[in-house]
Amino acid sequence: MTRALVLGGGGVTGVAWEWGLLAGLTQHGVPLAEADLVVGTSAGSVVGAQLRSGRPVQESYAAQLRPSRSEVAARFGPVAVLRLAWAGARTRDAVRARARIGAMALAARTPSEESRRAVIEARLPVREWPRRRLLVTAVDAHSGEFVVFDADSGVSLVDAVGASCAVPGVWPPVTIGDRRYVDGGMRSPVNADLAGGAQQVVVLAPTTAAFGPMPRLAAQVTALRAQGARVVVVSPDAASRAAIGRNVLDPGRRAGAARAGRAQADVVAGEVAAVWG
């Protein structure tokens, strides 16, 4: 494995921002879609699955500029983040912290799993796992264990992406077999360490916020570099943060976030190209 693309979480606006970056970087001659490995967490799992489907990058970007009939608006602002932080920060044991967040998610009143699954299905142009390597992250809501799904996991792509996007307290945990799963961002908003072994790593991180015993992105990047990898991290600049706004689950901000990501690509293209080769 030589090149890895890591796509972090960040709600529907994170999906849009990542597609803006991917479209802009492609136009600058940096085809991140050619990655040997794609790691997707939460919003990044959606983008990763879409990217691996073979759908043209510019087409996926253009879709973010149009109103969506399938996306459902929800609130996920500072108060919701504080609730998660409080649930997960009362112990230094990362697995226990995630189990507490999972317990909160299991007890929360949310839309039905069926209605949420329909949203996830509408996001995926292809329902089968791609042939090229894709990792999708989630957390077992009961045990707090971190889980990585791939084509060999025996889990459908829709269920894997749905689990990775199951924001605790907002969307229902996803049932797979006799277990239920929540957002992979509850372990790390990016999970860049899963790119270990790659020589070139590009990380698109709509958010790097971490709380309690969560592994920090900076530490993950340091470890990758210690293994000999060249790594570049792109996070929203001031204009992108303004376009994304305070509620990352607001579909009304998709187009603005996508355009901001596309504009930011003009600024970071040289730096990303230097790593990607």
Side-chain angles (χ1 to χ4, degrees):
M1 180 176 64
T2 301
R3 299 189 294 185
L5 172 62
V6 180
L7 300 166
V12 293
T13 55
V15 170
W17 177 80
E18 289 179 353
W19 274 119
L21 275 171
L22 289 166
L25 290 169
T26 299
Q27 286 193 332
H28 280 282
V30 190
L32 298 183
E34 296 179 0
D36 301 294
L37 167 69
V38 174
V39 178
T41 292
S42 198
S45 73
V46 174
V47 177
Q50 293 172 336
L51 189 67
R52 285 307 209 202
S53 74
R55 184 183 188 185
V57 170
Q58 301 302 331
E59 184 178 321
S60 294
Y61 167 66
Q64 298 300 312
L65 305 180
R66 300 188 294 268
S68 171
R69 295 181 179 179
S70 60
E71 293 292 343
V72 178
R75 286 291 308 170
F76 191 71
V79 173
V81 173
L82 284 173
R83 285 199 196 101
L84 288 177
W86 174 248
R90 290 177 289 165
T91 175
R92 294 184 179 181
D93 185 305
V95 176
R96 288 184 61 191
R98 295 194 295 266
R100 287 178 174 175
I101 292 172
M104 182 194 76
L106 291 166
R109 296 182 62 183
T110 65
S112 69
E113 283 194 63
E114 292 76 14
S115 65
R116 182 60 181 163
R117 196 176 201 278
V119 172
I120 300 300
E121 288 178 336
R123 289 177 177 176
L124 302 182
V126 175
R127 308 286 168 78
E128 301 298 323
W129 282 93
R131 285 181 292 178
R132 302 186 71 185
R133 197 164 182 226
L134 171 67
L135 303 182
V136 174
T137 68
V139 168
D140 186 309
H142 297 279
S143 69
E145 293 293 336
F146 181 55
V147 179
V148 181
F149 298 118
D150 64 12
D152 297 324
S153 62
V155 172
S156 77
L157 182 62
V158 172
D159 284 339
V161 172
S164 194
C165 294
V167 181
V170 179
W171 306 124
V174 171
T175 302
I176 301 176
D178 61 353
R179 310 300 293 178
R180 301 189 74 192
Y181 297 89
V182 295
D183 198 317
M186 297 303 101
R187 187 262 184 174
S188 161
V190 185
N191 293 301
D193 53 327
L194 294 182
Q199 296 174 320
Q200 298 135 274
V201 182
V202 173
V203 179
L204 305 186
T207 179
T208 60
F211 51 82
M214 276 187 175
R216 270 48 179 180
L217 175 59
Q220 294 177 342
V221 170
T222 297
L224 289 171
R225 287 175 175 155
Q227 297 168 21
R230 300 206 308 269
V231 186
V232 61
V233 177
V234 182
S235 292
D237 58 14
S240 291
R241 291 195 299 271
I244 289 169
R246 294 170 65 84
N247 179 19
V248 299
L249 299 183
D250 180 2
R253 287 189 170 266
R254 288 195 328 161
R259 292 189 179 98
R262 174 62 186 82
Q264 190 174 347
D266 295 338
V267 178
V268 303
E271 184 181 8
V272 176
V275 166
W276 201 246

